Amino acid sequence: MQLEIRNYYEVLLMELLSDEGLLDELPEDYLADLCCVTLNQLPVRYIRHLVDTYFFEDYNELAQMRSEIQTALEKSRAFLKANLNKEHD
């Protein structure tokens, strides 16, 4: 049996990266690291059906989640930049 379970923060992160054009702009390895570091800062919210989540979600809750993702993403980019600079020194 295959279950369709996803972390909603992961879905929203991918939407944000796509909206900002980063999915096409950034190298795949860097993007994978960026997603991992970002998601590790966020809580987990599992969902079964994305369409149901869009229908039932509260706008304020969604705005809060997106804000949390944006903050975590900015911290992750700074973290990765600092660590990449260390590797090249």
Side-chain angles (χ1 to χ4, degrees), residues 49-67:
H49 304 288
L50 192 54
V51 68
D52 293 342
T53 304
Y54 286 138
F55 183 73
F56 290 110
E57 72 189 352
D58 175 81
Y59 176 79
N60 291 328
E61 184 178 10
L62 178 60
Q64 177 63 35
M65 291 173 73
R66 287 186 172 153
S67 176

Side-chain angles (χ1 to χ4, degrees), residues 4 8 13 21 23 26 29-30 43 50 59 61 67 78:
E4 293 291 324
Y8 193 37
L13 174 59
L23 290 179
L26 298 173
D29 286 342
Y30 177 83
L50 192 54
Y59 176 79
E61 184 178 10
S67 176

Side-chain angles (χ1 to χ4, degrees), residues 25-75:
E25 178 183 315
L26 298 173
E28 191 173 310
D29 286 342
Y30 177 83
L31 200 54
D33 289 342
L34 181 63
C35 288
C36 288
V37 173
T38 301
L39 289 167
N40 281 331
Q41 297 175 64
L42 298 166
V44 178
R45 181 167 179 187
Y46 289 109
I47 59 171
R48 286 189 59 201
H49 304 288
L50 192 54
V51 68
D52 293 342
T53 304
Y54 286 138
F55 183 73
F56 290 110
E57 72 189 352
D58 175 81
Y59 176 79
N60 291 328
E61 184 178 10
L62 178 60
Q64 177 63 35
M65 291 173 73
R66 287 186 172 153
S67 176
E68 291 171 3
I69 292 168
Q70 186 66 48
T71 299
L73 184 60
E74 290 169 10
K75 288 180 183 178

Side-chain angles (χ1 to χ4, degrees), residues 1-5 48:
M1 177 170 79
Q2 182 177 353
L3 297 177
E4 293 291 324
I5 299 173
R48 286 189 59 201

Side-chain angles (χ1 to χ4, degrees), residues 1-18:
M1 177 170 79
Q2 182 177 353
L3 297 177
E4 293 291 324
I5 299 173
R6 296 194 210 172
N7 177 358
Y8 193 37
Y9 278 92
E10 185 176 342
V11 172
L12 294 175
L13 174 59
M14 291 303 169
E15 286 178 4
L16 177 67
L17 294 172
S18 178

